[in-house]
Amino acid sequence: MPQRALITGITGQDGSYLAELLVAKGYEVHGTVRRVALEDPAHRLARLHTVRDKITLHAASIESFASVFKIIAEIQPDECYHLAAQSFVSYSFDDEFSTFNTNINGTHFVLGALRQLVPRCRVYFAGSSEMFGKADEVPQNERTRFHPRSSYGISKVAGYELTRNYREAYHAFAVSGILFNHESPRRGYEFVTRKISSGLARILAGETAQLALGNLEARRDWGHAREYTEAMWRMLQQDEPDDYVIATGETHSVRDFCEAAFSHVNLDYRDYVVQDDRFFRPAEVDLLVGDASKAKRVLAWEPKTTFRDLVREMVDADVRAIAGHESHASEPRTTGSGGFSSELKAQSS
Ligand code: GDD
C-alpha cells in the first residue's frame, strides 16, 4: 500500500513542488482546492501541470470545519501537509479578520479533524519566519523569541502554538517548519521577488517602462522553494516530532535583488525602479536571516541554490514566459500593482 498524503493549498508554489516530490516518492497524493480552481484549471491549476493526472484533487474550503472533516474522513491520510493560508503579508493589513479566519481557524480545523479521525496521521504546519518579525537576535533559530509585526505573523504564531499544543496534549506527530522566504518561477506575482522578475520581463518586452516598489532596504533570507519542500517531507520522516528553521543563512536586501535581476540582463535597476509609498507596510520586518543548523544536523538538509542562481532562474523563466514559450504561474499576470487579488486568497506561498 502506498503512503497516502493530503496537501492543503496544493495549487500554490510550495504545494506544487511538494506534490511532485511525493509523487516521485511513490505516494498517493491528494490535495484540497477551492471549487473555483477546478472550474478554471488552465489558470489556477497551472502549477500542477506535471502531476495533474497523478494526483487527486478535492474541492474543499479550509474555512469550514465540516468541509475539512469530510475530506479527512474520506482520505484517511498517513501524512498531512497543511500549507493553505492567506500568505500575503501586505493583504493581512487590509483584512486582519479574514487572515485570522483562514489561517488560525483553518489550522485548528485540520488539527482537530485529524485528532478525531486519524490520530496516527503525521501533520506538517507551515510556520513562517514572519513569526520572528522584529527579532531581537540575528540569525534567528528555533529558540528565538517571536515578535510578529502583522496579523499574518500573529496568525502563524497561533498556528505554531496550536501545533505544539496538539503535540504535547494529544501526542500528535505534529511539526512546524519555520520557513524563511522561499521563491521560484512559480512564486505568486504579488511577492516582491516575482514582482521584480516579471516586471523586468515586461520592461524588456516594452510593455512598461518602470517598476514601482516599496521598501528597498528590507532584508530577507531567500531560498529556493523546491528545496524547502524537501525539508517539509524530511520533518515528517523523523522518529520524534519537532520544529525546524529552514533558511539559507544569507541575507540580501530588496535592492540587492533588483541589482542582481537587472544586471543579469545588462540593465541598471536605477534606471527603472521607483519607490512608491503605496507599497510600504504600516509595520515592516526589516531583517530576517535564519540559522538552519538544527535542520542540517537532524534532517541532513542543506540549501543548494545560491542567491544569484535563484534570481537568474526567476528572471530567465519570466523572460521566456513573456515571449510566449512557457508559463509557470497559476494566476493571470497582474500589472505589477502589488495589490491583493481575491483570487490569491487562501493559496499557500
Ligand atoms: N510584496 C511586495 N511588493 N514587497 C515589497 C515591495 C513590493 O512592491 N517593495 C518592497 N517590498 C518588501 C516588503 O516590504 C518586505 O519587506 C519584502 O519586500 C518581502 O516582501 P514579500 O515578498 O511580500 O514577502 P514577505 O517577506 O512579506 O512574506 C513572505 O515570506 C514569509 C516568510 O518569511 C511570504 O511568502 C509569507 O507567506 C512567508 O511566510
Side-chain angles (χ1 to χ4, degrees), residues 155-346:
S155 75
K156 286 291 176 179
V157 172
Y160 168 92
E161 296 292 1
L162 273 165
T163 303
R164 188 182 50 73
N165 203 47
Y166 267 67
R167 184 165 73 220
E168 293 174 2
Y170 311 124
H171 311 293
F173 194 110
V175 310
S176 290
I178 307 175
L179 270 52
F180 283 63
N181 297 47
H182 43 288
E183 320 294 312
S184 75
R186 298 184 188 178
R187 192 52 148 147
Y189 288 101
E190 70 277 32
F191 298 96
V192 76
T193 55
R194 188 75 193 279
K195 190 174 166 186
I196 295 167
S197 62
S198 63
L200 171 54
R202 293 179 67 232
I203 289 169
L204 288 172
E207 289 183 14
T208 185
Q210 277 190 339
L211 174 61
L213 297 174
N215 180 9
L216 298 182
E217 311 315 328
R219 300 185 75 85
R220 290 289 184 279
D221 179 332
W222 279 298
H224 198 297
R226 185 189 283 113
E227 295 170 7
Y228 285 41
T229 60
E230 167 83 27
M232 297 175 187
W233 175 76
R234 289 189 187 201
M235 287 179 215
L236 293 196
Q237 313 314 310
Q238 302 308 304
D239 291 339
E240 297 297 330
D242 206 348
D243 304 323
Y244 298 89
V245 160
I246 301 296
T248 70
E250 260 187 45
T251 179
H252 297 272
S253 66
V254 173
R255 187 184 295 283
D256 294 339
F257 198 102
C258 291
E259 193 281 321
F262 281 73
S263 65
H264 176 52
V265 294
N266 299 318
L267 294 180
D268 185 336
Y269 79 94
R270 289 170 296 188
D271 297 332
Y272 303 93
V273 171
V274 293
Q275 280 193 294
D276 184 327
D277 288 348
R278 283 181 303 153
F279 303 121
F280 281 77
R281 296 175 180 179
E284 177 63 287
V285 172
D286 297 317
L287 168 66
L288 288 176
V289 55
D291 168 6
S293 49
K294 178 176 169 186
K296 183 176 177 188
R297 196 176 64 250
V298 182
L299 306 177
W301 179 90
E302 265 190 292
K304 295 187 184 75
T305 308
T306 65
F307 174 70
R308 290 262 160 196
D309 285 346
L310 174 65
V311 175
R312 282 192 211 114
E313 184 184 337
M314 292 181 72
V315 171
D316 290 345
D318 273 323
V319 169
R320 274 200 308 276
I322 214 161
H325 298 314
E326 60 187 270
S327 170
H328 291 278
S330 64
E331 307 92 14
R333 280 191 301 133
T334 64
T335 54
S337 70
F340 176 72
S341 146
S342 59
E343 293 177 30
L344 301 169
K345 190 162 176 271

